[in-house]
Amino acid sequence: MQRLIRAGLMFGNLFHVSSPALVERYNRALKHLTGKTTKLTDFHVDISGYSPEVGDELDDHLYLNHAGVNRQFILLSMDQRRCPLLNTKFSTSRGILQQFYAENEAQLFALTARDAVAGELVNSVYDVSTPARLFDIRRITIDADTTGGTVRDAKKLGRLVGRFKNDQDGWFDDVLIAEMIDLAGKTGDVVRNPVKLSNMAFDQRDFWTAHFGGMYIFQDVEHPAVIAPSGKEGLGELPLKYVFDARDRNRIAQFFELNGLTETIIEARGINSAAILRQKMDFILVDAVANSQADLAGATRGDMRRLARQHSDKLPPEFHALAALVNWAENGGPWPRIASDHPAYFYTLRAADTKDAALVNMLLAELAAKDIRQLFICHKELFYRTYAGWSEAKKAYVVAFLEAEYQADKAGARAALFGHDAPMEEPKPAKPDPVSDRIAAVGPWGAVRRR
């Protein structure tokens, strides 16, 4: 992993906590949330305030995310809003934090000037001991305050000011006035500068979770389903009728089509589809020859063609199918029939322009995991896990490619690959509708036809 860290591909863009004042504030917030403190005087934190160094020190990398639910956060500086979220357990968490920070930017900027803000992403579930419990997570709210309770005190002071103004004997109530003066010393003038954080709630209906081997839960689509690529055995009874794993390729493809969630790369507008497919072929080629002592360092397009010729016996069906598709696109060759049971099928797709585009691209990255660029962009948790098992030659090639081709222009690379889609699209705040949605438990599938 050191190669990834040196290239800025892992633990990159974290906020550096090095001043004694910030360390002291972090410890106050950490004590407030967890009862623990750190002895470190220099460490890095992500958007939620989680620090890999502190996790190592405490021997607990879930110290702000007990049991993987109701993630807590520590905000020391508004610069954290540009940081990644590490040890992600739910795909929606970073987007929720970003929106909360943006919505309350002025208030949080003022609060963090004097203290740390500590909070929690709250739902009604405190454990996910069974997969069915995931479906009880329906709405996420945010509870936050400074460690000194500035927001709480400001609310109380506001109520006291109201009493003072409306009570005709307020001027003569020495106890009331003394309490107001005491609170004002902590909060400042809440009349001219109100200290109030927006009450925000987020529906969590379509999401990925790292629990139980990784599950994609689609509830807010016309035809709901759960997709557990690593296997559906042992998940038990779930409130959705359709549960698929990586072996159910036809059914997953049909799920995508029925809900309008994907489009083919060839048909997508505004992208160089042939170039994207060629790059996918390169990644598949590298995967095939990485263990054959092939020299991948600084490989050019010509080098890739030479490697393909030399190791043609090792090339998998995905490579040949994409090559036929490129030949059709560039040279008018015959249209290749790539059915959903073909290993190359999911390499030919990208997410359509829907609210779930980021989640769909994340799922496609897992279903077509040899595309290391999409895997890194859309599913970093899986990328880091699979990277550990690669040969040294493949690790070196992948890091060099991502450093040169992605790190240099992240926004441009995402636009070229996904067009309309921003892979880190955030969940939308929940509508202020008190009526809870019913989980759909049926779908249209029945007998599944082969494509």
Side-chain angles (χ1 to χ4, degrees):
M1 296 296 184
Q2 291 299 318
R3 187 186 281 117
L4 287 172
I5 296 172
R6 288 194 298 269
L9 298 170
M10 187 176 188
F11 300 147
N13 201 31
L14 297 179
F15 179 73
H16 190 195
V17 181
S18 57
S19 73
L22 288 182
V23 173
E24 193 270 334
R25 291 178 190 176
Y26 187 87
N27 264 329
R28 284 208 311 269
L30 188 59
K31 181 76 172 179
H32 175 75
L33 292 174
T34 69
K36 303 174 182 178
T37 58
T38 176
K39 296 180 180 178
L40 299 178
T41 58
D42 181 31
F43 50 91
H44 299 78
V45 298
D46 68 1
I47 189 173
S48 73
Y50 159 76
S51 168
E53 297 103 317
V54 174
D56 285 337
E57 179 196 20
L58 300 177
D59 193 25
D60 179 10
H61 286 280
L62 292 178
Y63 69 92
L64 286 181
N65 195 16
H66 180 69
V69 293
N70 292 322
R71 185 152 191 157
Q72 298 171 307
F73 63 91
I74 298 172
L75 181 66
L76 298 174
S77 166
M78 290 303 291
D79 289 341
Q80 285 175 240
R81 61 186 168 178
R82 291 184 286 271
C83 297
L85 180 67
L86 306 179
N87 285 350
T88 304
K89 296 299 181 183
F90 290 93
S91 59
T92 53
S93 297
R94 183 173 185 266
I96 289 174
L97 285 172
Q98 283 183 317
Q99 289 191 72
F100 175 72
Y101 294 164
E103 180 71 19
N104 297 280
E105 181 176 0
Q107 302 289 351
L108 291 171
F109 183 82
L111 291 171
T112 54
R114 297 190 300 175
D115 199 356
V117 173
E120 184 176 354
L121 276 60
V122 182
N123 61 67
S124 59
V125 175
Y126 295 95
D127 75 273
V128 285
S129 52
T130 65
R133 292 284 287 160
L134 291 166
F135 294 83
D136 294 331
I137 303 174
R138 302 178 60 77
R139 181 164 292 192
I140 307 297
T141 58
I142 295 182
D143 180 24
D145 200 345
T146 65
T147 55
T150 304
V151 176
R152 179 197 64 224
D153 289 341
K155 289 180 180 178
K156 183 177 180 181
L157 179 55
R159 292 193 297 267
L160 295 180
V161 170
R163 278 178 52 193
F164 179 79
K165 288 181 176 180
N166 297 322
D167 189 342
Q168 60 182 358
D169 296 325
W171 283 97
F172 307 104
D173 191 336
D174 293 337
V175 175
L176 174 62
I177 293 173
E179 192 173 3
M180 289 170 55
I181 292 172
D182 179 63
L183 288 174
K186 300 176 183 177
T187 66
D189 187 349
V190 297
V191 176
R192 295 183 180 180
N193 302 293
V195 180
K196 183 180 180 182
L197 298 176
S198 299
N199 294 321
M200 301 181 70
F202 301 83
D203 284 332
Q204 182 154 303
R205 305 299 309 285
D206 299 344
F207 60 92
W208 167 85
T209 176
H211 295 282
F212 308 105
M215 295 170 59
Y216 299 81
I217 297 175
F218 292 88
Q219 300 174 86
D220 194 24
V221 293
E222 186 176 357
H223 307 299
V226 174
I227 299 175
S230 61
K232 56 189 175 184
E233 290 79 8
L235 295 182
E237 186 176 349
L238 300 178
L240 293 188
K241 181 177 180 180
Y242 295 101
V243 182
F244 309 136
D245 61 25
R247 296 167 297 184
D248 300 315
R249 298 178 61 86
N250 288 354
R251 291 194 162 198
I252 294 174
Q254 197 170 10
F255 164 79
F256 284 151
E257 287 190 9
L258 288 168
N259 290 295
L261 295 176
T262 57
E263 62 187 12
T264 66
I265 293 173
I266 286 293
E267 295 171 332
R269 296 181 179 181
I271 61 173
N272 186 339
S273 55
I276 292 174
L277 292 173
R278 283 190 180 279
Q279 191 65 73
K280 290 176 183 283
M281 290 170 59
D282 286 349
F283 299 146
I284 294 169
L285 171 62
V286 167
D287 182 75
V289 305
N291 294 318
S292 62
Q293 308 302 316
D295 183 11
L296 301 173
T300 63
R301 178 64 62 191
D303 295 330
M304 287 296 182
R305 289 195 296 269
R306 175 179 53 78
L307 284 171
R309 290 193 297 270
Q310 292 176 346
H311 300 277
S312 59
D313 58 323
K314 296 185 177 69
L315 298 180
E318 300 98 299
F319 183 92
H320 297 295
L322 295 185
L325 198 55
V326 170
N327 185 44
W328 172 84
E330 293 186 335
N331 305 316
W335 171 255
R337 294 184 59 84
I338 304 175
S340 59
D341 58 346
H342 195 286
Y345 179 76
F346 292 116
Y347 287 90
T348 69
L349 301 180
R350 73 170 195 174
D353 188 7
T354 71
K355 64 181 180 61
D356 292 317
L359 184 62
V360 172
N361 273 331
M362 186 179 190
L363 174 54
L364 287 172
E366 186 162 357
L367 295 172
K370 293 177 185 178
D371 183 348
I372 53 92
R373 177 170 53 184
Q374 180 158 333
L375 189 64
F376 178 78
I377 294 173
C378 301
H379 201 333
K380 283 187 174 59
E381 297 295 316
L382 182 58
F383 175 88
Y384 294 138
R385 289 203 306 271
T386 55
Y387 174 91
W390 292 340
S391 68
E392 287 302 311
K394 183 173 180 179
K395 288 179 180 177
Y397 170 85
V398 169
V399 170
F401 174 85
L402 291 175
E403 192 174 14
E405 301 293 332
Y406 176 66
Q407 289 287 81
D409 183 13
K410 296 180 182 179
R414 288 195 293 266
L417 289 171
F418 307 110
H420 56 76
D421 172 40
M424 296 306 296
E425 183 180 354
E426 297 127 357
K428 306 302 181 191
K431 296 179 181 179
D433 182 0
V435 180
S436 62
D437 299 324
R438 296 181 180 177
I439 298 178
V442 296
W445 282 281
V448 176
R449 294 176 289 104
R450 289 183 65 85
R451 291 173 54 78

